[in-house]
Structures are given as C-alpha cells and as structure tokens.
Amino acid sequence: MKASFLLFVVCLGALAVCNAGDLRKQFYKKSCPLAEDIVRNITQQRVSANSGLPAKLLRMHFHDCFVRGCDASVLLNSTANNTAEKDATPNLSLAGFDVIDEIKAQLEQTCPGVVSCADIVALSTRDAVSFQFNRSMWEVLTGRRDGNVSVAWEALAKIPAPTSNFTTLKRNFANKGLNVHDLVVLSGAHTIGVAHCNDFSNRLYNFTGKGDADPSLNSTYSAFLRTKCQSLSDTTTTVEMDPQSSLSFDSNYYVILKQNQGLFQSDAALLTNKGAAKTVDELTNMTDFFTEFSQSMKRMGAIGVLTGSSGEIRKKCSVVSSS
C-alpha cells in the first residue's frame, strides 16, 4: 500500500457499521455458492506469485471506499466525456486491477451478473492480506452493488494525502464516519508496501520551503532516505514504508512510528495528538492490532455502500453496464 490514505452518513455507537444497508454474511450462498471460494482461490494464487499484491489491493480498497463509498467506482475507465477516479493523481500508481478482472471473468462464467465488483474488491483485499496467516483476518459482509459514476476530481478532493496534518486527517475520516481510533488503526496498513519518493521527499529537502528537513523525522532515517531519494523531482524510485518488514503484515509500523520513522507527514501526524499517540502505543501489541484492524476494516468496508436495487452489477469491472 503506497502513500495516501490510508470514513457518513450518520453512525451511532463505536461499533456501528455505517450505512451497511443489506450487507450480510454469505450474501451469495444461494445465488452463487462458489463465489467466495473463487475469489479466495484466484487471490491466493496471485499473491503466491506476487508478494507485493496484498498492499496493492489494500490501497485500492481504501481509495475506492473514500470516494462515493465502497462501490468499485475506482475500477471504472475514463471515457471520451469523463476522466474517472482511476486517472486522478492519487490513483495513478494503483495496481492489482488485473487480479480483480481475472476474478470477475471467472465469476461471470460461473454465475453471470450476480457478484459485484465492489464485493470482489472487498473480499480479495481480505484474502490477500490473510494469505500469510492461512486464515481470514477479518469478516467481510457482502451484498454491495456497483456504482456507475466515477469522477477524477472527487478522488483528488476526498482521498487523504500523505502530506496531511492531524486536523485534516481527522476531518477526512470523520466525513466518512470513521473516528480517530479508526484513523490510527487503518494507518497500520502502512506496515506493508512501498511509496514513491515524491510522496515524502519534501520532508527530506524542503520541508518549510527553505531547503530544510522535517525535524520530526528521525535524523538517521532521514539520512538513509536521502540515499534512496536524491531529489525532490524523483517520481520513480520506491522505498519500503516499513523498513525490513514491508512484506509482513504486522504491528511493526507502530514500533517504528514511535521511533520517528513514519515515512509520511500523515504518519508522523498521529504522534501530534495525545489520544492518537496513546492508541499508537497500544497497537504495538500485535494481537491488539489485529483485533482492532479487523473491526476498522469492517467499518471502512461499509462506507456508503449501494445495496438492494441501487447501483448495478457490472459485467466488466472497468465499464458501466447500464445505459
């Protein structure tokens, strides 16, 4: 999962599922009983061949849910008359679309017009992250339908940036029905994946516009990063977000964050709020992190979902089916 962020509708109660509608367990039990097995099998095959895939799908799921809710709008291609979310700056480095397409093609052969692309994204993300544990790391309720609107400017406006401060992050998450606890927990997704230099190099070379480094970044780590990212204009080099542990989903992100080695300003921002910093301390415990991540992912996966007769079931995830 690369930079950026990593949710309203009115929710009541800390464990409420926002706008969950008709999401439920085993939604496809009768209409497509093999659906979840197909998603899991293809996802696991692809992860076994590409260990970086869990981070890519996790980032895709996050970026989808933060714009118009979890409706697979991030999968839609641009058209002659519209630039879609996929082509907005925060999404240009998204990857894993081919995996979603492969799963969708198999599902269309097995039970045409039944399983939504939105559910495929939610399920495959869970299955990809869970691969290393050989067990499901969180529950995914299903029954989402696909949206038919995707607009680039909404992605620019609604996806939290890696340069965000705490106030901005808190507002971004509150707008989607997620609280500060969810913000800190979901930031833990940065324990896997890589980031492009241009998402954080201002912290190395020009933090206040005077050619200086961010004083909140560990100086040894900052020096190391400068050996990797040698200019502000480097848009191709990537760096592990969780050094030495970027392929292992664990709680090490919080350990290095406390050592002022969070890669993004949005990571470091979590230490600038007393309550958030306390949660960072608690989540260094692996068991606690896994428990809380499971709950926050379930809440995130229910943001603004389309259910019932809303939206559609796309035949192909990159193209709107309805006229």
Side-chain angles (χ1 to χ4, degrees):
M1 178 175 175
K2 182 192 158 272
S4 66
F5 263 63
L6 342 148
L7 262 234
F8 190 37
V9 285
V10 177
C11 293
L12 299 175
L15 295 180
V17 175
C18 306
N19 200 27
D22 297 322
L23 296 186
R24 61 179 185 268
K25 295 180 183 179
Q26 298 184 316
F27 180 85
Y28 300 106
K29 185 176 183 180
K30 293 182 179 179
S31 60
C32 190
L34 293 177
E36 294 195 24
D37 289 337
I38 290 171
V39 175
R40 183 179 303 107
N41 290 339
I42 293 176
T43 300
Q44 291 181 344
Q45 289 169 15
R46 296 296 294 265
V47 173
S48 67
N50 179 5
S51 57
L53 186 58
K56 298 178 190 303
L57 291 178
L58 193 53
R59 184 167 179 254
M60 179 194 293
H61 188 26
F62 182 90
H63 282 216
D64 181 41
C65 291
F66 258 72
V67 184
R68 291 188 168 267
C70 310
D71 67 346
S73 55
V74 75
L75 304 180
L76 288 171
N77 288 338
S78 295
T79 65
N81 300 315
N82 176 65
T83 303
E85 293 170 35
K86 186 186 287 187
D87 292 318
T89 300
N91 290 333
L92 292 177
S93 57
L94 287 183
F97 296 109
D98 57 323
V99 179
I100 304 301
D101 288 341
E102 180 181 348
I103 295 169
K104 179 61 173 174
Q106 181 61 56
L107 286 168
E108 284 299 301
Q109 286 185 14
T110 306
C111 34
V114 173
V115 183
S116 70
C117 299
D119 274 343
I120 294 172
V121 171
L123 289 166
S124 62
T125 298
R126 187 271 312 274
D127 294 339
V129 174
S130 299
F131 179 74
Q132 78 175 79
F133 303 99
N134 199 31
R135 65 180 178 88
S136 291
M137 296 302 287
W138 64 89
E139 180 182 62
V140 175
L141 302 180
T142 44
R144 297 166 187 79
R145 289 171 65 84
D146 300 323
N148 51 26
V149 176
S150 183
V151 186
W153 73 262
E154 292 188 337
L156 281 168
K158 296 177 181 179
I159 295 173
T163 54
S164 297
N165 61 26
F166 185 80
T167 300
T168 300
L169 290 170
K170 181 179 178 181
R171 182 174 63 249
N172 286 153
F173 275 65
N175 287 341
K176 300 301 178 184
L178 296 183
N179 58 27
V180 169
H181 184 78
D182 294 312
L183 163 61
V184 179
V185 171
L186 292 174
S187 295
H190 288 173
T191 191
I192 53 175
V194 299
H196 286 82
C197 288
N198 55 296
D199 287 314
F200 59 86
S201 55
N202 68 305
R203 300 186 74 197
L204 308 178
Y205 296 109
N206 198 33
F207 188 61
T208 65
K210 299 179 181 179
D212 55 342
D214 182 349
S216 72
L217 184 63
N218 179 289
S219 58
T220 302
Y221 186 44
S222 180
F224 165 76
L225 290 174
R226 283 193 291 274
T227 69
K228 299 291 185 180
C229 306
Q230 298 184 13
S231 76
L232 278 167
S233 59
D234 186 344
T235 60
T236 56
T237 304
T238 59
V239 174
E240 293 176 296
M241 289 194 289
D242 184 351
Q244 314 306 317
S245 183
S246 66
L247 294 176
S248 177
F249 191 80
D250 54 35
S251 60
N252 195 57
Y253 165 81
Y254 300 101
V255 176
I256 65 170
L257 185 57
K258 291 181 63 177
Q259 298 168 353
N260 295 315
Q261 294 184 54
L263 191 58
F264 308 124
Q265 284 175 248
S266 57
D267 294 320
L270 303 181
L271 300 179
T272 65
N273 173 270
K274 186 176 180 180
K278 184 175 185 295
T279 302
V280 168
D281 284 338
E282 295 166 350
L283 294 176
T284 58
N285 179 289
M286 191 97 71
T287 301
D288 290 347
F289 171 54
F290 288 165
T291 298
E292 297 305 317
F293 194 79
S294 170
Q295 295 300 318
S296 288
M297 283 300 294
K298 190 173 179 179
R299 287 192 283 276
M300 190 193 83
I303 298 171
V305 294
L306 301 172
T307 60
S309 60
S310 300
E312 64 177 7
I313 303 297
R314 291 185 215 142
K315 295 181 178 67
K316 188 176 179 182
C317 289
S318 59
V319 181
V320 171
S321 295
S322 57
S323 57

